[in-house]
Amino acid sequence: MTNGAGGMSATAGLGGTSSPGNTTGGGGTTTAGGTSGTGAGGTSSNGGNGISAGAGSGGTSGSGVPETGGTTSADAGTGGTSAGAAGGGAQAGAPAATWSSAFPTFTEHTIASFDSGYMTVVADIDADGKPDVVALSSGSDGLVWFKNPTWTRYTITTKAKQLIYCAPYDVNGDGHLDLAVASDFDMSNTTSGGTVSWAEAPADPTQSQAWTLHAIGAVPTSHRLRWGDLDGDGKKELIDLPIFGVNSDPTTHAGAVALTAFSIPADPATGTWASRVLDSTHLETAHGIEVVDWDGDEAEDILTAANDGVDLFRPSLGSTAEHLGAGAVGHPPTKGSSEVGLGSLGGARFIATIDPWHGTDGVIYTPGAEATALWTRLDLGADFQHGHGLMVADFNGDGFDEVVAGGGQGALTELIYRYVPSTQKWDKIPLAMGTVAVSGIDVKDLNGDGAPDIVAIGTSPTNNVVWYENVAVK
């Protein structure tokens, strides 16, 4: 299937029309108001070393106003600037960005059927220069990787059970890419489980399908893992974000999680991994985490999405949370924010989320009028059911980031949100409908053409791993 850059029908909310040849797109355009931002700043980069983005001036959102042609929009104001603690300054020396109207299409390729797919990450597992696709199942298919470009499937481990997440990093420095693994996950058990280990990559992962597991620690309901250099010493720590706090209320899940960092010991296989609780007071029903370079120093920082909305930990070690975004209003646990990503619009920083927890709405946050103010929240509309995947990337290389997101229930909507400076609105570009019951999304260049591609993993009923190839405009 080739997905065009056509807009989404505002009336249906799920637009795009199908035509012979499995092509979607070409419908009316739905736009939601963006926030204007100006100023020089950094461009965003997604990868293992975090995401950096410059900051610019913020704005305020206006109310939705129907336009002609069957579209809906919400206009954005242009007032307000950001500076200081929360807003951050524009990064010096960053190249100027020029928005391009040319936008790629995406061709759909099924990598594999995969039972109860929960998360995926793209990484070069066999060190052949081609990024492979790691897939984790919360069901029977376990933890595997698919070799690029044949997509031959190889098992990583069958020993870890009740898998929930993994994160690639060369833990022991031997040149082979290992995986941190979170297992023994049970949402109804907030007092035990939450095992964290690392799977040691063999010299040739195509020959060994039983990677050795080494213990790291355990935090009940460990749910999201990231690697980040939190102290600026050139060595990454493993960050563990549980979804629920220990002994939290079984209905509202009230009770803060213990956001935890593990440090790699001299001998990661036999040594003790020292742990440090970064925060245990702010985050309830914590679901999203991103490692970012917020301020250009040597230490990486952390963005989180939880029932209180969006928080920034800067520096990650020894700092309290900076509350940036309010999230959606609601009753716990269905409130706040669920997924989070950082991006740049030609140097103007923004944060993208899905609100609320396991939510429905794509949301854009831009810096408030004052450094201490909450960021302006622009709700792009209820496009998803059980929104469960979001990434920020520059799909056409113009220095203006887009947001790709998807839902795991209902119509199984996958969208790209794209800001248009001339209208100060966010267009909604259909990526796919009904193809993937999205549980996770990653963005990397899979075929070496220089254009970032999209990989989505689906749980029931689709149970699949799909690559959306970025067909760049020539």
XYZ file of all heavy atoms in Angstrom, residues 132-174:
338
model
N 18.490 -3.264 11.797
C 17.555 -4.370 11.908
C 16.366 -3.949 12.768
O 16.362 -2.867 13.356
C 18.258 -5.590 12.507
C 19.556 -5.924 11.767
O 19.477 -6.238 10.575
O 20.640 -5.826 12.385
N 15.371 -4.818 12.836
C 14.163 -4.503 13.596
C 14.019 -5.493 14.743
O 13.918 -6.704 14.523
C 12.919 -4.548 12.691
C 11.646 -4.360 13.519
C 13.000 -3.475 11.606
N 14.045 -4.974 15.966
C 13.813 -5.778 17.165
C 12.330 -5.702 17.499
O 11.731 -4.617 17.458
C 14.657 -5.274 18.343
C 14.366 -6.076 19.613
C 16.146 -5.333 18.001
N 11.745 -6.849 17.817
C 10.324 -6.888 18.156
C 10.132 -7.643 19.456
O 10.748 -8.693 19.676
C 9.523 -7.551 17.036
N 9.280 -7.100 20.312
C 8.989 -7.708 21.604
C 7.499 -7.991 21.690
O 6.675 -7.129 21.365
C 9.440 -6.791 22.726
C 9.206 -7.236 24.171
C 10.332 -6.727 25.079
C 7.858 -6.727 24.700
N 7.169 -9.211 22.112
C 5.781 -9.635 22.253
C 5.415 -9.743 23.714
O 6.189 -10.253 24.526
C 5.587 -10.994 21.561
O 4.369 -11.589 21.946
N 4.213 -9.268 24.033
C 3.697 -9.490 25.383
C 2.995 -10.836 25.472
O 2.466 -11.199 26.523
C 2.719 -8.376 25.768
O 1.631 -8.322 24.855
N 3.008 -11.581 24.373
C 2.398 -12.901 24.322
C 3.413 -13.992 24.069
O 4.487 -14.023 24.682
N 3.131 -14.840 23.088
C 3.910 -16.067 22.904
C 5.146 -15.914 22.037
O 6.000 -16.820 22.012
C 3.009 -17.152 22.287
O 2.533 -16.733 21.009
N 5.295 -14.803 21.312
C 6.390 -14.700 20.351
C 7.689 -14.158 20.932
O 8.695 -14.091 20.236
C 5.961 -13.846 19.153
C 5.294 -14.688 18.078
O 5.285 -15.923 18.223
O 4.771 -14.126 17.103
N 7.690 -13.752 22.196
C 8.930 -13.436 22.893
C 9.676 -12.237 22.351
O 9.085 -11.259 21.871
N 11.009 -12.317 22.410
C 11.898 -11.227 22.003
C 12.752 -11.714 20.844
O 13.523 -12.663 20.977
C 12.778 -10.801 23.182
C 13.756 -9.651 22.962
C 13.034 -8.376 22.525
C 14.571 -9.395 24.225
N 12.607 -11.056 19.692
C 13.280 -11.500 18.476
C 13.843 -10.299 17.736
O 13.566 -9.147 18.072
C 12.308 -12.265 17.543
C 11.603 -13.385 18.294
C 11.274 -11.321 16.916
N 14.650 -10.592 16.700
C 15.061 -9.542 15.778
C 14.943 -10.042 14.354
O 15.063 -11.246 14.081
C 16.459 -9.017 16.076
C 17.606 -9.979 15.846
C 17.983 -11.021 16.639
C 18.519 -9.962 14.734
N 19.071 -11.658 16.100
C 19.429 -11.031 14.939
C 18.664 -9.160 13.611
C 20.466 -11.310 14.046
C 19.698 -9.430 12.711
C 20.587 -10.490 12.934
N 14.659 -9.098 13.443
C 14.504 -9.399 12.032
C 15.661 -8.756 11.271
O 15.869 -7.549 11.350
C 13.170 -8.876 11.510
C 11.976 -9.509 12.159
C 11.350 -8.889 13.234
C 11.482 -10.731 11.724
C 10.240 -9.471 13.842
C 10.387 -11.322 12.320
C 9.767 -10.691 13.390
N 16.377 -9.581 10.514
C 17.586 -9.118 9.823
C 17.235 -8.377 8.542
O 16.505 -8.880 7.686
C 18.495 -10.303 9.501
C 19.779 -9.925 8.754
C 20.675 -11.137 8.548
C 21.841 -10.810 7.628
N 22.679 -9.715 8.160
N 17.727 -7.192 8.425
C 17.568 -6.353 7.240
C 18.534 -6.832 6.145
O 19.715 -7.022 6.429
C 17.882 -4.899 7.638
C 17.585 -3.889 6.571
O 17.331 -4.195 5.431
N 17.654 -2.620 6.969
N 18.112 -7.041 4.882
C 16.808 -6.713 4.313
C 15.897 -7.925 4.088
O 14.807 -7.764 3.546
C 17.203 -6.108 2.968
C 18.385 -6.912 2.545
C 19.131 -7.246 3.819
N 16.349 -9.129 4.447
C 15.533 -10.323 4.185
C 14.430 -10.501 5.200
O 13.472 -11.231 4.978
C 16.412 -11.578 4.199
O 16.982 -11.745 5.517
C 17.532 -11.472 3.166
N 14.597 -9.877 6.361
C 13.683 -9.967 7.492
C 13.592 -11.400 8.041
O 12.568 -11.818 8.561
C 12.303 -9.405 7.159
C 12.380 -8.027 6.589
C 11.880 -7.595 5.403
C 13.035 -6.873 7.172
N 12.175 -6.260 5.201
C 12.876 -5.801 6.275
C 13.745 -6.664 8.359
C 13.404 -4.529 6.515
C 14.265 -5.391 8.602
C 14.080 -4.349 7.693
N 14.726 -12.120 7.914
C 14.836 -13.418 8.576
C 14.747 -13.214 10.081
O 15.374 -12.306 10.634
C 16.172 -14.100 8.226
O 16.252 -14.230 6.801
C 16.285 -15.468 8.875
N 13.987 -14.066 10.721
C 13.718 -13.913 12.151
C 14.697 -14.729 12.987
O 14.951 -15.902 12.705
C 12.287 -14.356 12.436
C 11.907 -14.439 13.899
C 10.431 -14.741 14.014
N 10.029 -15.135 15.357
C 8.770 -15.165 15.765
N 7.802 -14.820 14.928
N 8.468 -15.529 16.988
N 15.243 -14.092 14.038
C 16.145 -14.758 14.980
C 15.664 -14.488 16.407
O 15.307 -13.353 16.737
C 17.581 -14.255 14.828
C 18.188 -14.536 13.470
C 18.141 -13.581 12.461
C 18.795 -15.765 13.192
C 18.688 -13.826 11.211
C 19.352 -16.022 11.946
C 19.289 -15.049 10.963
O 19.832 -15.297 9.721
N 15.686 -15.507 17.223
C 15.292 -15.361 18.624
C 16.437 -14.776 19.439
O 17.608 -15.103 19.222
C 14.888 -16.730 19.207
O 13.749 -17.208 18.486
C 14.541 -16.626 20.683
N 16.099 -13.920 20.384
C 17.086 -13.360 21.307
C 17.087 -14.150 22.609
O 18.130 -14.580 23.084
C 16.804 -11.865 21.559
C 17.043 -11.077 20.263
C 17.667 -11.315 22.697
C 16.611 -9.637 20.317
N 15.932 -14.331 23.207
C 15.823 -15.142 24.426
C 14.396 -15.637 24.588
O 13.444 -14.973 24.174
C 16.232 -14.343 25.674
O 16.127 -15.181 26.839
C 15.366 -13.119 25.871
N 14.283 -16.813 25.173
C 12.977 -17.351 25.557
C 12.870 -17.484 27.071
O 11.835 -17.933 27.577
C 12.748 -18.728 24.907
O 13.793 -19.631 25.315
C 12.743 -18.622 23.389
N 13.925 -17.105 27.777
C 13.943 -17.282 29.233
C 13.140 -16.213 29.957
O 12.469 -16.494 30.949
C 15.383 -17.312 29.740
C 16.154 -18.563 29.326
C 17.539 -18.602 29.966
C 18.258 -19.897 29.614
N 19.615 -19.958 30.232
N 13.234 -14.979 29.507
C 12.485 -13.899 30.157
C 11.006 -14.026 29.804
O 10.650 -14.231 28.644
C 13.025 -12.549 29.712
N 10.147 -13.900 30.805
C 8.710 -14.044 30.615
C 7.993 -12.734 30.956
O 8.537 -11.876 31.632
C 8.174 -15.175 31.498
C 8.897 -16.508 31.309
C 8.766 -17.056 29.887
C 9.454 -18.416 29.755
N 9.378 -18.939 28.363
N 6.744 -12.637 30.492
C 5.932 -11.435 30.704
C 6.731 -10.186 30.315
O 6.867 -9.222 31.059
C 5.462 -11.347 32.157
C 4.512 -12.459 32.564
C 4.209 -12.438 34.048
O 4.985 -12.982 34.855
N 3.102 -11.812 34.415
N 7.233 -10.235 29.085
C 8.064 -9.152 28.562
C 7.246 -7.877 28.361
O 6.064 -7.926 28.047
C 8.668 -9.573 27.225
C 9.660 -10.728 27.265
C 9.823 -11.335 25.874
C 11.005 -10.262 27.800
N 7.917 -6.740 28.508
C 7.224 -5.475 28.305
C 8.074 -4.440 27.568
O 7.533 -3.597 26.874
C 6.712 -4.886 29.649
C 5.653 -3.809 29.404
C 7.861 -4.364 30.498
C 4.364 -4.323 28.843
N 9.415 -4.500 27.667
C 10.219 -3.493 26.983
C 11.666 -3.946 26.846
O 12.141 -4.811 27.585
C 10.183 -2.156 27.739
C 10.116 -0.968 26.809
C 8.890 -0.594 26.255
C 11.242 -0.255 26.446
C 8.805 0.485 25.376
C 11.172 0.826 25.572
C 9.948 1.181 25.036
O 9.859 2.230 24.169
N 12.374 -3.310 25.890
C 13.818 -3.527 25.754
C 14.452 -2.257 25.208
O 13.769 -1.403 24.622
C 14.124 -4.732 24.872
S 13.726 -4.510 23.124
N 15.758 -2.128 25.402
C 16.479 -0.938 24.954
C 17.903 -1.342 24.580
O 18.620 -1.927 25.400
C 16.503 0.130 26.046
N 18.354 -1.063 23.346
C 19.676 -1.502 22.888
C 20.815 -0.607 23.365
O 20.690 0.618 23.395
C 19.538 -1.450 21.369
C 18.512 -0.384 21.112
C 17.566 -0.426 22.273
N 21.932 -1.237 23.716
C 23.163 -0.529 24.098
C 24.264 -1.564 24.260
O 24.011 -2.688 24.704
C 22.959 0.246 25.405
C 24.143 1.096 25.811
C 24.567 2.151 25.009
C 24.815 0.864 26.995
C 25.645 2.942 25.380
C 25.890 1.652 27.386
C 26.301 2.689 26.572
O 27.359 3.476 26.939
N 25.491 -1.197 23.898
C 26.639 -2.084 24.107
C 27.050 -2.000 25.570
O 27.862 -1.170 25.957
C 27.791 -1.673 23.187
C 29.004 -2.593 23.310
O 28.931 -3.571 24.086
O 30.019 -2.322 22.649
N 26.472 -2.867 26.377
C 26.619 -2.775 27.830
C 28.057 -3.040 28.279
O 28.601 -2.337 29.140
C 25.650 -3.753 28.527
C 25.877 -3.778 30.037
C 24.204 -3.367 28.223
N 28.694 -4.060 27.723
C 30.027 -4.462 28.197
C 31.161 -3.966 27.321
O 32.321 -4.314 27.541
C 30.107 -5.983 28.327
C 29.740 -6.701 27.040
O 29.502 -6.070 26.011
N 29.684 -8.021 27.099
N 30.852 -3.139 26.321
C 31.887 -2.510 25.520
C 32.658 -3.438 24.615
O 33.790 -3.110 24.223
N 32.044 -4.565 24.221
C 32.757 -5.519 23.369
C 32.471 -5.317 21.893
O 32.902 -6.110 21.051
C 32.425 -6.959 23.780
C 30.952 -7.317 23.546
O 30.164 -6.422 23.171
O 30.598 -8.490 23.766
